[in-house]
Amino acid sequence: MEQHLELIEKALLRGQWDTQIPESSHSSSGAAVTLSKMTVEGRFRDVLVSDTVRGVFQFQPLSDDYLDRPLQDYIDLSVTSSTAAAGKDQVEEELARLAIAVTCLHAFVQANWTGPELDIHPLEVLTAGNPDDASRSSSSSSSPSAWTEDILSSKAISELAYGGEPAYHLAKAPAFLRLAQLLMNLPYQHIASIHWWRLRVELVRQQILDEAVSVPEDYHALLSPLTASVAREPDLAGRLYLELGLLDHLLARDKSAAEYFVKAARSTGLEYELTGALGKRTKFQVTELSQLVLLAESRLDASSGEGEGGEALATSPTLSSEREHENENGQSERTKNTTNVPETMALNDDTLLEQTQFTSSHPAGPNSRLSHIDPSAQPPLHPLDQCILLSLCLNVRNTSPSHGLTAEQMSPYVARVIAHPRNWSVHTMALLLRSRLESTRTRTVERSALQLQALIDQMPTSDSAAPERLRYFHEFPLPSRWEMEKELAGRYLSIGVVKSALEIYERLEMWEEVVRCYGALERPDKGIAIVRDLLEGRKHEADAVISQGKASTSLSIRKTRDTAREAKLWCLLGDLDAPNAVAHYSRAWAVSGGTSGRAMRSLGGYHFARADFRAAITSLRRAVRINPLLTRSWFILGCACMRVEEWEEAKEAFARCVAIDEEDGESWNNLASMYLRIGYDPRKQRKREVDEEEEEEATASPSTQTTNNNDEVEGSQQPAASSQTPAIPFENKLLAFRALKQGLRCSYENWRMWYNYMVVAMDVGELQEACRALGRVVEQTGDRDRAGAQVVDEDVLDRLVDAVTRAPAKADDTSAGVDDGAGAGAGVGVVQNPNEGHGLYKNVLNLFERTLLPRLSSPRIFRAYARLMSWQSRWEETIKAYLDAYRCSVAGAGGGTMGNGSGGMDGDAEKWREAVVEVEEVVDVLRNFGPRVGGGYKWKLQARSIVRTFMGRTREFEDEPEWERLKELLDD
């Protein structure tokens, strides 16, 4: 037994029996092997009604306190096979226990995910050794001495709830999952893969909870040794990495998940590349264009692991058995009827082809390792490699291009899998992903809905055997039957078919969605009535009442309803009944025994919306302790802490947000704000803010910026100069700079974040980044405000020009940074600093010429540009910039050559005096730089014209003392 134990474990993990495993003819030593083989072959009924299992599940009658006792108290979970009972073979005992646990797990999966319909029920198994209990279970009696399917399911659902999150109450045969959980949690000394199976149970349990919660064990550390033992073969290593990646995906650790998916591809030897090839996508397309295509090739044996009973691809199409041809419309048709996979709905569009028609036999990249593959005739992939390709699409969020792959980039992955159906479940997942991608396009939305409906309808059918459907189930997140129906209802709701969506939600008893539908139908009172009926027992949450023909079972309902689900109903009532919301949320917290994270999240949000930040913090602290995986709870907690100036706790909250979701730009921005808040006295800062607001116009600053998130948290404004607070440690400023830099990767269009980034970059000396950020701010806001100066921080612009011009004008006279060829006359090998002098010059010059000057007209901007030009001895450009500044100034607007025709300064003597100074300055500029231009530049004539024109348009000020200065200037 021991020498073949590893082979048996691998067979159970793969879902395919290994013919190298000998079958013992003696039942005393072969019972566990026989159970394992029947488990792999999907003969769940044969396993669960065997004599061995009857020895395991000795079910006891209910006691009066059955509501308070766990299910485990009623079941004897020891294996009593003849060998194990005699204490002769502990390996046999553990293997038999594992086989039974795997059978229970897969029976639950078959009933709720893959189908076909299960032919055995939990109560039938648990009462198999006691005919009296079996007969009593068929009655509708609610006596506490008799087990029924309803009571058993309710107990299991209640115990499967975890972390304050209820399990879906209409899941079929939940007792099987609970039994698998109990069996696998027993001690194992000889089963090396037990932690792997515990991971699989945990992944299934997570999918029936309302929200994902933290797992009780560190499976990454527990499963790491398996890569050198059980999972040392390529396909098993690929499976292991895939499942660890799926765990991280469920827990919103997308970056870690993506790394595991890549590891899985490396383990199996899968080579893939997203490239382009010439082709057509429409029926009337004449010109061939480059189309995205995913080239992929398996290294695993493509014929292994398929068919029934180990037959290699007996019913699956391969490259030779499934050839494709095109009809007169250019549509691809398969010549073989593949009945063992879900139906693929045809597009039937008058313009689009069924799939991209590639006209080139080679991809666009000639240096590719896969350039030998014809894009239109790629070889079939191993089903495990197909799972890897589908997993690579999991981190896609189609709402924003900044989140991983876009829909256009994702489609080739899905199309590559759909092209060669190899497994029922894998093909189902591929069709589901395609359906999601097509749901937002007008020409494909019809097929999207029809395909989703077809997938739901084919789940209970027997068009393929259960072992095939289960073989790769753990390698990709196939939604449960109720999740797919919920998705279909969501599609109906998105297009306004509210009543059809409502029917599905009511059948699935998803009351939150039901209430949302009634809100859309302007019937909120109906939603409140439903929740109250559920809580008071007047409305049954299952079809058992109808099937049993009973008028009322309110007492048994209220006894068996799990507390997590009852707490959720109280929370839902609190959402609907705002005047009594606090009472309802508090009741939910009490009912759950202090475990309902939903109650505390709702209560915290309620207090925050009403500016009771202290109460909000108290509730949200409890919520994140229960379920620390929800970014929204951490974000609101951080914002509440900001409002009461608890900067350290706010920083920790936003740090948790970005640890969970690295693409949360708002949290990165607020984290930067916290770094700039920590380390100084808020009272002194507030006094300083008041002083600064009196001096200059307020502008957004990261030191107080709180990004708006769904209108719950509004950003405050503060002068840009506040970034120069000397009390802030430089280390904090540097951390803020890095946080904003990370946040901008996913909030590239947020000009406020760019502004904050610019200010902090100036403080930490990253002037090149500050220059880039200033350009982005102007690009995003310059077109909105043609007035000019309001969208540019001119202090920052002057500091950038100062940083350039403080260096010697010739690059040979400086010695800092790396030469980039930007400086005029820069020599080869000259070391330049990218944040000053010639290292910064090119960036600042591009900022002016490509961004600022084409969009804005401001005297200060033109003067800054003039200083930059004079530093480079470009005298003609210098004069032109100063003249442009003059034309935009008070003198130019009121009395200059580009005046608005007002004929004066509206009688304002102070403005006129300012204009006189400006005229004097521009004349001085012409006097200083005009002679350097050369080429007969008539600067004197230009200066005289400016003074004469100004005096002619402002004659009403002839009595002012400064008028004599103008006359002297003109005579000069």
Side-chain angles (χ1 to χ4, degrees), residues 278-292 330 347 349 351-358 407-408 411-412 441 444:
L278 291 177
K280 300 178 181 179
R281 297 181 64 178
T282 65
K283 298 175 182 178
F284 310 107
Q285 185 174 340
V286 177
T287 305
E288 299 173 355
L289 301 175
S290 182
Q291 310 289 342
L292 272 178
L347 182 59
D349 186 71
T351 301
L352 292 178
L353 293 171
E354 290 287 335
Q355 60 186 12
T356 302
Q357 178 185 348
F358 293 102
E408 287 297 324
S411 297
R441 301 176 58 189
T444 57

PDB file of all heavy atoms in Angstrom, residues 278-292 330 347 349 351-358 407-408 411-412 441 444:
ATOM      1  N   LEU A 278      -1.931  39.444 -40.314  1.00  0.00           N
ATOM      2  CA  LEU A 278      -2.875  40.021 -41.262  1.00  0.00           C
ATOM      3  C   LEU A 278      -4.137  39.178 -41.320  1.00  0.00           C
ATOM      4  O   LEU A 278      -4.088  37.949 -41.345  1.00  0.00           O
ATOM      5  CB  LEU A 278      -2.241  40.117 -42.649  1.00  0.00           C
ATOM      6  CG  LEU A 278      -1.102  41.127 -42.803  1.00  0.00           C
ATOM      7  CD1 LEU A 278      -0.531  41.056 -44.211  1.00  0.00           C
ATOM      8  CD2 LEU A 278      -1.576  42.539 -42.478  1.00  0.00           C
ATOM      9  N   GLY A 279      -5.274  39.861 -41.364  1.00  0.00           N
ATOM     10  CA  GLY A 279      -6.529  39.133 -41.417  1.00  0.00           C
ATOM     11  C   GLY A 279      -7.714  40.061 -41.585  1.00  0.00           C
ATOM     12  O   GLY A 279      -7.569  41.281 -41.720  1.00  0.00           O
ATOM     13  N   LYS A 280      -8.918  39.460 -41.555  1.00  0.00           N
ATOM     14  CA  LYS A 280     -10.166  40.205 -41.723  1.00  0.00           C
ATOM     15  C   LYS A 280     -11.121  39.838 -40.602  1.00  0.00           C
ATOM     16  O   LYS A 280     -11.163  38.700 -40.145  1.00  0.00           O
ATOM     17  CB  LYS A 280     -10.806  39.863 -43.072  1.00  0.00           C
ATOM     18  CG  LYS A 280      -9.919  40.188 -44.285  1.00  0.00           C
ATOM     19  CD  LYS A 280     -10.598  39.781 -45.584  1.00  0.00           C
ATOM     20  CE  LYS A 280      -9.717  40.083 -46.793  1.00  0.00           C
ATOM     21  NZ  LYS A 280     -10.347  39.677 -48.061  1.00  0.00           N
ATOM     22  N   ARG A 281     -11.934  40.827 -40.202  1.00  0.00           N
ATOM     23  CA  ARG A 281     -12.907  40.601 -39.141  1.00  0.00           C
ATOM     24  C   ARG A 281     -14.335  40.773 -39.619  1.00  0.00           C
ATOM     25  O   ARG A 281     -15.260  40.431 -38.908  1.00  0.00           O
ATOM     26  CB  ARG A 281     -12.631  41.550 -37.978  1.00  0.00           C
ATOM     27  CG  ARG A 281     -11.282  41.334 -37.330  1.00  0.00           C
ATOM     28  CD  ARG A 281     -11.059  42.271 -36.167  1.00  0.00           C
ATOM     29  NE  ARG A 281     -11.997  42.044 -35.093  1.00  0.00           N
ATOM     30  CZ  ARG A 281     -11.991  42.723 -33.940  1.00  0.00           C
ATOM     31  NH1 ARG A 281     -11.114  43.680 -33.766  1.00  0.00           N
ATOM     32  NH2 ARG A 281     -12.866  42.455 -32.995  1.00  0.00           N
ATOM     33  N   THR A 282     -14.508  41.348 -40.821  1.00  0.00           N
ATOM     34  CA  THR A 282     -15.856  41.548 -41.343  1.00  0.00           C
ATOM     35  C   THR A 282     -15.995  40.866 -42.700  1.00  0.00           C
ATOM     36  O   THR A 282     -15.014  40.588 -43.391  1.00  0.00           O
ATOM     37  CB  THR A 282     -16.166  43.049 -41.497  1.00  0.00           C
ATOM     38  OG1 THR A 282     -15.312  43.600 -42.493  1.00  0.00           O
ATOM     39  CG2 THR A 282     -15.958  43.785 -40.186  1.00  0.00           C
ATOM     40  N   LYS A 283     -17.220  40.608 -43.083  1.00  0.00           N
ATOM     41  CA  LYS A 283     -17.489  39.886 -44.323  1.00  0.00           C
ATOM     42  C   LYS A 283     -17.177  40.721 -45.557  1.00  0.00           C
ATOM     43  O   LYS A 283     -16.900  40.166 -46.624  1.00  0.00           O
ATOM     44  CB  LYS A 283     -18.958  39.443 -44.351  1.00  0.00           C
ATOM     45  CG  LYS A 283     -19.326  38.494 -43.224  1.00  0.00           C
ATOM     46  CD  LYS A 283     -20.803  38.168 -43.213  1.00  0.00           C
ATOM     47  CE  LYS A 283     -21.165  37.254 -42.056  1.00  0.00           C
ATOM     48  NZ  LYS A 283     -22.616  36.964 -41.995  1.00  0.00           N
ATOM     49  N   PHE A 284     -17.240  42.019 -45.432  1.00  0.00           N
ATOM     50  CA  PHE A 284     -17.058  42.885 -46.601  1.00  0.00           C
ATOM     51  C   PHE A 284     -15.707  43.601 -46.576  1.00  0.00           C
ATOM     52  O   PHE A 284     -15.485  44.525 -47.332  1.00  0.00           O
ATOM     53  CB  PHE A 284     -18.196  43.909 -46.672  1.00  0.00           C
ATOM     54  CG  PHE A 284     -19.552  43.288 -46.555  1.00  0.00           C
ATOM     55  CD1 PHE A 284     -20.304  43.428 -45.402  1.00  0.00           C
ATOM     56  CD2 PHE A 284     -20.064  42.525 -47.601  1.00  0.00           C
ATOM     57  CE1 PHE A 284     -21.552  42.844 -45.291  1.00  0.00           C
ATOM     58  CE2 PHE A 284     -21.309  41.941 -47.491  1.00  0.00           C
ATOM     59  CZ  PHE A 284     -22.053  42.087 -46.335  1.00  0.00           C
ATOM     60  N   GLN A 285     -14.846  43.180 -45.695  1.00  0.00           N
ATOM     61  CA  GLN A 285     -13.543  43.823 -45.589  1.00  0.00           C
ATOM     62  C   GLN A 285     -12.678  43.452 -46.787  1.00  0.00           C
ATOM     63  O   GLN A 285     -12.531  42.282 -47.136  1.00  0.00           O
ATOM     64  CB  GLN A 285     -12.864  43.401 -44.280  1.00  0.00           C
ATOM     65  CG  GLN A 285     -11.554  44.108 -44.008  1.00  0.00           C
ATOM     66  CD  GLN A 285     -11.000  43.754 -42.634  1.00  0.00           C
ATOM     67  OE1 GLN A 285     -11.731  43.303 -41.765  1.00  0.00           O
ATOM     68  NE2 GLN A 285      -9.719  43.955 -42.447  1.00  0.00           N
ATOM     69  N   VAL A 286     -12.095  44.450 -47.412  1.00  0.00           N
ATOM     70  CA  VAL A 286     -11.247  44.235 -48.579  1.00  0.00           C
ATOM     71  C   VAL A 286      -9.772  44.303 -48.206  1.00  0.00           C
ATOM     72  O   VAL A 286      -8.985  43.435 -48.570  1.00  0.00           O
ATOM     73  CB  VAL A 286     -11.563  45.271 -49.681  1.00  0.00           C
ATOM     74  CG1 VAL A 286     -10.623  45.090 -50.863  1.00  0.00           C
ATOM     75  CG2 VAL A 286     -13.023  45.158 -50.115  1.00  0.00           C
ATOM     76  N   THR A 287      -9.407  45.329 -47.469  1.00  0.00           N
ATOM     77  CA  THR A 287      -8.013  45.511 -47.076  1.00  0.00           C
ATOM     78  C   THR A 287      -7.692  44.657 -45.867  1.00  0.00           C
ATOM     79  O   THR A 287      -8.416  44.674 -44.859  1.00  0.00           O
ATOM     80  CB  THR A 287      -7.735  46.988 -46.743  1.00  0.00           C
ATOM     81  OG1 THR A 287      -8.118  47.793 -47.855  1.00  0.00           O
ATOM     82  CG2 THR A 287      -6.266  47.204 -46.434  1.00  0.00           C
ATOM     83  N   GLU A 288      -6.611  43.915 -45.949  1.00  0.00           N
ATOM     84  CA  GLU A 288      -6.175  43.100 -44.824  1.00  0.00           C
ATOM     85  C   GLU A 288      -5.461  43.987 -43.808  1.00  0.00           C
ATOM     86  O   GLU A 288      -4.575  44.764 -44.160  1.00  0.00           O
ATOM     87  CB  GLU A 288      -5.237  42.001 -45.309  1.00  0.00           C
ATOM     88  CG  GLU A 288      -5.882  41.044 -46.293  1.00  0.00           C
ATOM     89  CD  GLU A 288      -4.875  40.071 -46.880  1.00  0.00           C
ATOM     90  OE1 GLU A 288      -3.682  40.237 -46.559  1.00  0.00           O
ATOM     91  OE2 GLU A 288      -5.269  39.179 -47.621  1.00  0.00           O
ATOM     92  N   LEU A 289      -5.863  43.848 -42.556  1.00  0.00           N
ATOM     93  CA  LEU A 289      -5.270  44.632 -41.477  1.00  0.00           C
ATOM     94  C   LEU A 289      -4.670  43.698 -40.446  1.00  0.00           C
ATOM     95  O   LEU A 289      -5.037  42.519 -40.346  1.00  0.00           O
ATOM     96  CB  LEU A 289      -6.328  45.526 -40.825  1.00  0.00           C
ATOM     97  CG  LEU A 289      -7.033  46.532 -41.745  1.00  0.00           C
ATOM     98  CD1 LEU A 289      -8.127  47.259 -40.987  1.00  0.00           C
ATOM     99  CD2 LEU A 289      -6.039  47.514 -42.335  1.00  0.00           C
ATOM    100  N   SER A 290      -3.759  44.233 -39.663  1.00  0.00           N
ATOM    101  CA  SER A 290      -3.141  43.435 -38.604  1.00  0.00           C
ATOM    102  C   SER A 290      -4.158  43.196 -37.491  1.00  0.00           C
ATOM    103  O   SER A 290      -4.747  44.140 -36.953  1.00  0.00           O
ATOM    104  CB  SER A 290      -1.910  44.154 -38.054  1.00  0.00           C
ATOM    105  OG  SER A 290      -1.292  43.373 -37.061  1.00  0.00           O
ATOM    106  N   GLN A 291      -4.345  41.934 -37.142  1.00  0.00           N
ATOM    107  CA  GLN A 291      -5.309  41.542 -36.116  1.00  0.00           C
ATOM    108  C   GLN A 291      -4.564  40.886 -34.952  1.00  0.00           C
ATOM    109  O   GLN A 291      -3.585  40.178 -35.152  1.00  0.00           O
ATOM    110  CB  GLN A 291      -6.341  40.555 -36.685  1.00  0.00           C
ATOM    111  CG  GLN A 291      -6.991  40.984 -37.971  1.00  0.00           C
ATOM    112  CD  GLN A 291      -7.943  42.141 -37.788  1.00  0.00           C
ATOM    113  OE1 GLN A 291      -8.378  42.432 -36.677  1.00  0.00           O
ATOM    114  NE2 GLN A 291      -8.287  42.806 -38.890  1.00  0.00           N
ATOM    115  N   LEU A 292      -5.065  41.139 -33.744  1.00  0.00           N
ATOM    116  CA  LEU A 292      -4.455  40.509 -32.578  1.00  0.00           C
ATOM    117  C   LEU A 292      -4.691  39.006 -32.617  1.00  0.00           C
ATOM    118  O   LEU A 292      -5.799  38.539 -32.914  1.00  0.00           O
ATOM    119  CB  LEU A 292      -5.049  41.080 -31.290  1.00  0.00           C
ATOM    120  CG  LEU A 292      -4.394  42.324 -30.698  1.00  0.00           C
ATOM    121  CD1 LEU A 292      -5.142  42.758 -29.457  1.00  0.00           C
ATOM    122  CD2 LEU A 292      -2.934  42.073 -30.374  1.00  0.00           C
ATOM    123  N   GLY A 330     -17.664  33.146 -45.415  1.00  0.00           N
ATOM    124  CA  GLY A 330     -16.400  33.252 -44.695  1.00  0.00           C
ATOM    125  C   GLY A 330     -16.487  32.778 -43.266  1.00  0.00           C
ATOM    126  O   GLY A 330     -15.614  33.024 -42.464  1.00  0.00           O
ATOM    127  N   LEU A 347     -22.930  33.501 -34.217  1.00  0.00           N
ATOM    128  CA  LEU A 347     -23.119  34.943 -34.147  1.00  0.00           C
ATOM    129  C   LEU A 347     -24.249  35.402 -35.067  1.00  0.00           C
ATOM    130  O   LEU A 347     -25.069  36.242 -34.690  1.00  0.00           O
ATOM    131  CB  LEU A 347     -21.809  35.651 -34.514  1.00  0.00           C
ATOM    132  CG  LEU A 347     -21.809  37.173 -34.439  1.00  0.00           C
ATOM    133  CD1 LEU A 347     -22.159  37.649 -33.029  1.00  0.00           C
ATOM    134  CD2 LEU A 347     -20.441  37.723 -34.839  1.00  0.00           C
ATOM    135  N   ASP A 349     -24.348  37.377 -37.641  1.00  0.00           N
ATOM    136  CA  ASP A 349     -24.377  38.812 -37.882  1.00  0.00           C
ATOM    137  C   ASP A 349     -24.174  39.079 -39.365  1.00  0.00           C
ATOM    138  O   ASP A 349     -23.463  38.324 -40.050  1.00  0.00           O
ATOM    139  CB  ASP A 349     -23.279  39.505 -37.066  1.00  0.00           C
ATOM    140  CG  ASP A 349     -23.353  41.010 -37.163  1.00  0.00           C
ATOM    141  OD1 ASP A 349     -24.290  41.591 -36.591  1.00  0.00           O
ATOM    142  OD2 ASP A 349     -22.474  41.591 -37.816  1.00  0.00           O
ATOM    143  N   THR A 351     -22.565  41.437 -40.699  1.00  0.00           N
ATOM    144  CA  THR A 351     -21.296  42.116 -40.998  1.00  0.00           C
ATOM    145  C   THR A 351     -20.091  41.379 -40.433  1.00  0.00           C
ATOM    146  O   THR A 351     -19.127  41.103 -41.154  1.00  0.00           O
ATOM    147  CB  THR A 351     -21.326  43.555 -40.447  1.00  0.00           C
ATOM    148  OG1 THR A 351     -22.419  44.270 -41.033  1.00  0.00           O
ATOM    149  CG2 THR A 351     -20.020  44.270 -40.758  1.00  0.00           C
ATOM    150  N   LEU A 352     -20.137  41.056 -39.149  1.00  0.00           N
ATOM    151  CA  LEU A 352     -18.984  40.431 -38.501  1.00  0.00           C
ATOM    152  C   LEU A 352     -18.866  38.961 -38.877  1.00  0.00           C
ATOM    153  O   LEU A 352     -19.864  38.250 -38.994  1.00  0.00           O
ATOM    154  CB  LEU A 352     -19.098  40.553 -36.981  1.00  0.00           C
ATOM    155  CG  LEU A 352     -18.968  41.957 -36.379  1.00  0.00           C
ATOM    156  CD1 LEU A 352     -19.145  41.879 -34.866  1.00  0.00           C
ATOM    157  CD2 LEU A 352     -17.620  42.555 -36.723  1.00  0.00           C
ATOM    158  N   LEU A 353     -17.627  38.502 -39.036  1.00  0.00           N
ATOM    159  CA  LEU A 353     -17.357  37.080 -39.203  1.00  0.00           C
ATOM    160  C   LEU A 353     -17.478  36.369 -37.862  1.00  0.00           C
ATOM    161  O   LEU A 353     -17.363  36.987 -36.801  1.00  0.00           O
ATOM    162  CB  LEU A 353     -15.946  36.872 -39.769  1.00  0.00           C
ATOM    163  CG  LEU A 353     -15.685  37.354 -41.195  1.00  0.00           C
ATOM    164  CD1 LEU A 353     -14.205  37.265 -41.513  1.00  0.00           C
ATOM    165  CD2 LEU A 353     -16.490  36.548 -42.192  1.00  0.00           C
ATOM    166  N   GLU A 354     -17.730  35.058 -37.931  1.00  0.00           N
ATOM    167  CA  GLU A 354     -17.822  34.288 -36.701  1.00  0.00           C
ATOM    168  C   GLU A 354     -16.533  34.379 -35.897  1.00  0.00           C
ATOM    169  O   GLU A 354     -16.543  34.422 -34.671  1.00  0.00           O
ATOM    170  CB  GLU A 354     -18.123  32.821 -37.021  1.00  0.00           C
ATOM    171  CG  GLU A 354     -19.521  32.583 -37.547  1.00  0.00           C
ATOM    172  CD  GLU A 354     -20.572  32.719 -36.468  1.00  0.00           C
ATOM    173  OE1 GLU A 354     -20.238  32.521 -35.282  1.00  0.00           O
ATOM    174  OE2 GLU A 354     -21.731  33.038 -36.803  1.00  0.00           O
ATOM    175  N   GLN A 355     -15.398  34.381 -36.582  1.00  0.00           N
ATOM    176  CA  GLN A 355     -14.117  34.561 -35.936  1.00  0.00           C
ATOM    177  C   GLN A 355     -13.173  35.230 -36.932  1.00  0.00           C
ATOM    178  O   GLN A 355     -13.437  35.271 -38.135  1.00  0.00           O
ATOM    179  CB  GLN A 355     -13.544  33.219 -35.478  1.00  0.00           C
ATOM    180  CG  GLN A 355     -13.328  32.226 -36.608  1.00  0.00           C
ATOM    181  CD  GLN A 355     -12.899  30.863 -36.094  1.00  0.00           C
ATOM    182  OE1 GLN A 355     -12.968  30.593 -34.897  1.00  0.00           O
ATOM    183  NE2 GLN A 355     -12.457  30.008 -36.986  1.00  0.00           N
ATOM    184  N   THR A 356     -12.091  35.765 -36.425  1.00  0.00           N
ATOM    185  CA  THR A 356     -11.143  36.462 -37.298  1.00  0.00           C
ATOM    186  C   THR A 356     -10.580  35.503 -38.347  1.00  0.00           C
ATOM    187  O   THR A 356     -10.155  34.392 -38.032  1.00  0.00           O
ATOM    188  CB  THR A 356      -9.997  37.047 -36.459  1.00  0.00           C
ATOM    189  OG1 THR A 356     -10.542  37.938 -35.482  1.00  0.00           O
ATOM    190  CG2 THR A 356      -9.031  37.808 -37.338  1.00  0.00           C
ATOM    191  N   GLN A 357     -10.604  35.930 -39.578  1.00  0.00           N
ATOM    192  CA  GLN A 357     -10.068  35.127 -40.682  1.00  0.00           C
ATOM    193  C   GLN A 357      -8.661  35.633 -41.002  1.00  0.00           C
ATOM    194  O   GLN A 357      -8.468  36.698 -41.580  1.00  0.00           O
ATOM    195  CB  GLN A 357     -10.971  35.255 -41.910  1.00  0.00           C
ATOM    196  CG  GLN A 357     -10.462  34.500 -43.122  1.00  0.00           C
ATOM    197  CD  GLN A 357     -11.312  34.758 -44.350  1.00  0.00           C
ATOM    198  OE1 GLN A 357     -12.401  35.328 -44.245  1.00  0.00           O
ATOM    199  NE2 GLN A 357     -10.830  34.348 -45.512  1.00  0.00           N
ATOM    200  N   PHE A 358      -7.670  34.848 -40.617  1.00  0.00           N
ATOM    201  CA  PHE A 358      -6.284  35.239 -40.849  1.00  0.00           C
ATOM    202  C   PHE A 358      -5.863  34.826 -42.248  1.00  0.00           C
ATOM    203  O   PHE A 358      -6.063  33.682 -42.667  1.00  0.00           O
ATOM    204  CB  PHE A 358      -5.370  34.597 -39.803  1.00  0.00           C
ATOM    205  CG  PHE A 358      -5.593  35.115 -38.414  1.00  0.00           C
ATOM    206  CD1 PHE A 358      -6.320  34.373 -37.489  1.00  0.00           C
ATOM    207  CD2 PHE A 358      -5.104  36.351 -38.037  1.00  0.00           C
ATOM    208  CE1 PHE A 358      -6.547  34.844 -36.208  1.00  0.00           C
ATOM    209  CE2 PHE A 358      -5.327  36.842 -36.758  1.00  0.00           C
ATOM    210  CZ  PHE A 358      -6.037  36.093 -35.848  1.00  0.00           C
ATOM    211  N   ALA A 407     -10.633  44.516 -23.233  1.00  0.00           N
ATOM    212  CA  ALA A 407     -11.455  43.495 -23.883  1.00  0.00           C
ATOM    213  C   ALA A 407     -10.829  43.033 -25.191  1.00  0.00           C
ATOM    214  O   ALA A 407     -10.856  41.849 -25.530  1.00  0.00           O
ATOM    215  CB  ALA A 407     -12.864  44.050 -24.121  1.00  0.00           C
ATOM    216  N   GLU A 408     -10.257  43.964 -25.949  1.00  0.00           N
ATOM    217  CA  GLU A 408      -9.649  43.585 -27.228  1.00  0.00           C
ATOM    218  C   GLU A 408      -8.441  42.684 -27.022  1.00  0.00           C
ATOM    219  O   GLU A 408      -8.177  41.782 -27.819  1.00  0.00           O
ATOM    220  CB  GLU A 408      -9.235  44.842 -27.996  1.00  0.00           C
ATOM    221  CG  GLU A 408     -10.395  45.610 -28.577  1.00  0.00           C
ATOM    222  CD  GLU A 408     -11.163  44.803 -29.621  1.00  0.00           C
ATOM    223  OE1 GLU A 408     -10.526  44.043 -30.377  1.00  0.00           O
ATOM    224  OE2 GLU A 408     -12.394  44.921 -29.663  1.00  0.00           O
ATOM    225  N   SER A 411      -9.749  39.031 -25.771  1.00  0.00           N
ATOM    226  CA  SER A 411     -10.462  38.169 -26.711  1.00  0.00           C
ATOM    227  C   SER A 411      -9.583  37.099 -27.357  1.00  0.00           C
ATOM    228  O   SER A 411     -10.022  35.956 -27.504  1.00  0.00           O
ATOM    229  CB  SER A 411     -11.138  39.018 -27.797  1.00  0.00           C
ATOM    230  OG  SER A 411     -12.109  39.860 -27.232  1.00  0.00           O
ATOM    231  N   PRO A 412      -8.336  37.409 -27.770  1.00  0.00           N
ATOM    232  CA  PRO A 412      -7.521  36.346 -28.366  1.00  0.00           C
ATOM    233  C   PRO A 412      -7.244  35.178 -27.428  1.00  0.00           C
ATOM    234  O   PRO A 412      -7.131  34.035 -27.880  1.00  0.00           O
ATOM    235  CB  PRO A 412      -6.224  37.085 -28.738  1.00  0.00           C
ATOM    236  CG  PRO A 412      -6.616  38.508 -28.896  1.00  0.00           C
ATOM    237  CD  PRO A 412      -7.687  38.729 -27.896  1.00  0.00           C
ATOM    238  N   ARG A 441     -21.220  45.027 -26.562  1.00  0.00           N
ATOM    239  CA  ARG A 441     -21.158  45.413 -27.974  1.00  0.00           C
ATOM    240  C   ARG A 441     -22.519  45.157 -28.627  1.00  0.00           C
ATOM    241  O   ARG A 441     -23.125  44.101 -28.446  1.00  0.00           O
ATOM    242  CB  ARG A 441     -20.070  44.631 -28.703  1.00  0.00           C
ATOM    243  CG  ARG A 441     -18.681  44.834 -28.116  1.00  0.00           C
ATOM    244  CD  ARG A 441     -17.651  43.965 -28.815  1.00  0.00           C
ATOM    245  NE  ARG A 441     -17.601  44.229 -30.242  1.00  0.00           N
ATOM    246  CZ  ARG A 441     -16.914  43.480 -31.103  1.00  0.00           C
ATOM    247  NH1 ARG A 441     -16.261  42.411 -30.673  1.00  0.00           N
ATOM    248  NH2 ARG A 441     -16.897  43.784 -32.386  1.00  0.00           N
ATOM    249  N   THR A 444     -22.965  41.972 -30.789  1.00  0.00           N
ATOM    250  CA  THR A 444     -22.744  40.663 -30.163  1.00  0.00           C
ATOM    251  C   THR A 444     -23.550  40.473 -28.886  1.00  0.00           C
ATOM    252  O   THR A 444     -23.481  39.409 -28.283  1.00  0.00           O
ATOM    253  CB  THR A 444     -21.251  40.483 -29.839  1.00  0.00           C
ATOM    254  OG1 THR A 444     -20.812  41.555 -28.993  1.00  0.00           O
ATOM    255  CG2 THR A 444     -20.420  40.472 -31.105  1.00  0.00           C
TER     256      THR A 444
END
